[in-house]
Structures are given as structure tokens and as C-alpha cells.
Amino acid sequence: MTGTRRRDAVVAGIHVVVDGPPDAPPMLLVHGSGATAASWSPVLPGLAAAHRVVAVDLPGCGRSPRAPAYDVPAQADRVAALLDELGVARPTVVGHSSGGYVATALAERRPDLVGGLVLVSTGPAPDAMLPEAAAVRVLMGRPFGPLVWPLRTTGMLRRGIRSVTARPVDVPDGFLADVRRTRYADFRRVMAGYAAYLADRPVPERVAALGVRLLVVFGDADPRWDPASARRYAAVPGARLEYLPGVGHVAMLEDPEGLTRLLLAGAA
């Protein structure tokens, strides 16, 4: 992909969007639960002006092929194989929400590949999770989830996303189209993997053992994770915590300019 500015491809079993100058400092973007690489589209132009940005659809999500296992270490290993294949050295790894668990596991398993971590709206421990909206519980849970999933309309998807935002948002059509590609069975297995990883050990404790540079970004009105729980990352030596005012769980849609500014500063 050397010499190209933007390209979509499937590499090492992962759909990836690569953008930005080939010789710029690299940045890896890992999406959260139920999302895809397209969730980053509002911030991609600003980031790609200064970085070689690699945005992934995790296996089983969006345009990536399905995988035999979806536990977090396996997801991290697949991302590592992708970086090895692309020849991307020590990117700043940005994880949104549950994507922060894959980012953290990547640093745990391949510290040679990670130049720094940025966790955006990544819940630190199970007890920090807030109750989900009823519509989201119906869509994701049993017995109705498997029946409703194939029937999801664009309006339903937009309402689901807006249930975790604190302000009106513009949801890109391409993002919704890619979200519809994810199968219910794969989504449930991915979510089970995230839950097991988080239950095994809190994220701040994991990161504190790594000695990696850490920036934590939270919306101060996040309805998915208690915003005050972000302060638990203070246990990580040298960690920085930034709150985005009036922002919920999906900062890239709610405040793309503010998030871009923080990501660029965090990668410096």
C-alpha cells in the first residue's frame, strides 16, 4: 500500500481502511461493540492529515470475514498479524469503547507493536456500566434479538446509536450500511469475549503493568459507562484523562473536532 493515500482492502483476514501519507507516524483505530471502521469516518480526514491511519473492521464485524473465535486475545492476535503484514511499526493504538479491550490486549501480547494507547469511552470494570436503553436490550438480547436483527431498519439503527449519545448526531450512511453486515451470532460471541476479558481483570490494572503511554478520553455525559469511572485510570502511572463536555458515548460522531484534537495531541 506504499504510495497510496487511501485504500480499502482485506489484509490478514481483516477489512482495513488505510489513509494518510505513507511516511507519516502511524495510528491504528479499533472500533467498539457493534460498530465498524466506518464509525471513525468523521475524524479520519483530520487524523490522516498528520498520520498514516489504519482503521479496521474487527473479524466478524462489518466487511471483515467471520472468524472461528472472538475472544479478546484472539482478536488482538489477528490485529497484530495485520500490522505485521502491513509493516506498520509502533502505531498509537486508539480503541473506542470495547475496542479499547482489543487495543489493551494488543499491548499485552505484542508490546513491540504499540507506541502508545488511547482509550476512548472504554469502561474500566464491569461495575462501571450503566443500564442499557430498553430498545437496545431487546435488539441485542434473547429471545427477540435473533428475530429482530435481520429486520433492522436504518431508523432502528439510528435510534440505537442515539440512545448512547448526549446530543443529536449525524450518523454516516456508510457506517449504517457496514453495521448491517454484522451477523447476530457473531455479534453475541464478540460481546461475550469482551465481557470475559473485562471480568477477568480491570483495564487500569492491565495497562498499569505495561508501562505504555496512556491517554483516556471520556464524554462527561456518557450514558453507557459512568463518566466518573474514568478516574480509575489514574492508577496508571503517567496516564492523562480528558473529558469532552456535553458528549456521550460516541465522541467521533458527537464532537469529531474535539476528539480529533485530543487524538492528535495524544499521539504527539
Side-chain angles (χ1 to χ4, degrees):
M1 294 185 183
T2 301
T4 65
R5 179 164 179 85
R6 180 185 174 102
R7 183 176 173 185
D8 286 39
V10 175
V11 179
I14 292 180
H15 172 253
V16 60
V17 176
V18 181
D19 200 355
D23 58 349
M27 179 178 288
L28 172 69
L29 305 179
V30 185
H31 65 79
S33 303
T36 71
S39 64
W40 298 101
S41 57
V43 300
L44 191 59
L47 298 177
H51 290 271
R52 186 63 163 167
V53 180
V54 178
V56 299
D57 283 354
L58 290 171
C61 300
R63 285 182 271 174
S64 282
R66 305 175 76 183
Y70 293 109
D71 58 281
V72 171
Q75 295 278 50
D77 288 346
R78 294 185 191 104
V79 174
L82 167 73
L83 294 177
D84 287 337
E85 181 72 18
L86 292 176
V88 174
R90 298 189 62 77
T92 297
V93 181
V94 184
H96 172 243
S97 190
S98 302
Y101 309 144
V102 177
T104 300
L106 178 63
E108 289 175 318
R109 299 173 72 79
R110 289 290 304 275
D112 59 302
L113 284 179
V114 178
L117 275 179
V118 182
L119 303 180
V120 181
S121 305
T122 297
D127 64 343
M129 183 178 289
L130 299 174
E132 289 180 323
V136 176
R137 290 199 303 272
V138 170
L139 183 60
M140 296 194 305
R142 296 183 182 277
F144 300 110
L147 302 175
V148 175
W149 196 267
L151 306 176
R152 294 171 298 162
T153 65
T154 297
M156 291 172 64
L157 292 173
R158 290 186 190 279
R159 287 192 294 274
I161 293 169
R162 288 170 181 163
S163 73
V164 292
T165 65
R167 59 175 72 174
V169 295
D170 180 21
V171 184
D173 290 338
F175 174 31
L176 296 177
D178 280 357
V179 166
R180 291 177 63 87
R181 295 172 181 265
T182 303
R183 302 188 186 195
Y184 180 80
D186 295 314
F187 173 76
R188 292 294 299 178
R189 292 171 65 197
V190 168
M191 293 297 290
Y194 290 148
Y197 183 81
L198 191 58
D200 182 63
R201 193 179 180 194
V203 182
E205 183 180 323
R206 291 177 179 274
V207 180
L210 298 176
V212 67
R213 183 179 78 251
L214 175 66
L215 168 65
V216 175
V217 180
F218 247 76
D220 68 1
D222 191 328
R224 175 71 170 158
W225 296 95
D226 178 6
S229 71
R231 298 191 178 93
R232 301 185 194 181
Y233 287 100
V236 180
R240 290 175 47 213
L241 170 61
E242 298 282 354
Y243 280 104
L244 288 169
V247 170
H249 189 62
V250 195
M252 61 280 287
L253 300 183
E254 298 177 72
D255 186 7
E257 294 82 6
L259 181 59
T260 297
R261 173 178 50 82
L262 291 177
L263 294 182
L264 292 176

